[in-house]
Amino acid sequence: MPGTRKLGRPTDHRRAMLRALVTYLLEKGTIETTVYRAKEVRAIADKMITLGKTNTLAAKRQAMAFITKEDVVKKLFDEIAPKYADRQGGYTQIFKTGPRRGDAAEMAIIKLI
């Protein structure tokens, strides 16, 4: 179930971190982070893309409430969501890359398909 991982952070910090990661993923198309963060980002990013597929004013306002950059919301509704119009979910992939050098946290690359 999405949103159940606490990721070792208080609620407001965790929410801000996930907003930033989702925004960056939609902006760049790929990010490298830990496996647990990637799994949380995948759930939220899939919801944002599904929201972008409806393409209504209410959906744009909901996306603007979560995504931190206006140009990323425009890109979501104009470029990303139409690309997945015939797809019923599963818009991202997670690839495990191995442990991080500093603290041996399991790292992963998450990218849009």
Side-chain angles (χ1 to χ4, degrees), residues 98-111:
R100 184 163 50 195
R101 183 176 170 90
D103 60 355
E106 190 67 31
M107 297 298 287
I109 294 174
I110 180 171
K111 66 179 195 173

Side-chain angles (χ1 to χ4, degrees), residues 17-37:
M17 177 189 64
L18 291 174
R19 285 179 66 188
L21 285 172
V22 169
T23 302
Y24 193 73
L25 175 65
L26 295 174
E27 183 179 18
K28 302 294 182 185
T30 182
I31 56 173
E32 184 176 7
T33 184
T34 63
V35 173
Y36 299 108
R37 287 182 189 175

Side-chain angles (χ1 to χ4, degrees), residues 47-63 73-79 81-82 85:
K47 287 180 184 179
M48 288 294 123
I49 293 172
T50 302
L51 196 63
K53 287 167 59 174
T54 60
N55 202 9
T56 61
L57 180 60
K60 288 180 182 178
R61 287 180 176 169
Q62 284 181 335
V73 174
K74 183 167 176 41
K75 181 179 178 182
L76 172 66
F77 281 87
D78 295 343
E79 299 172 20

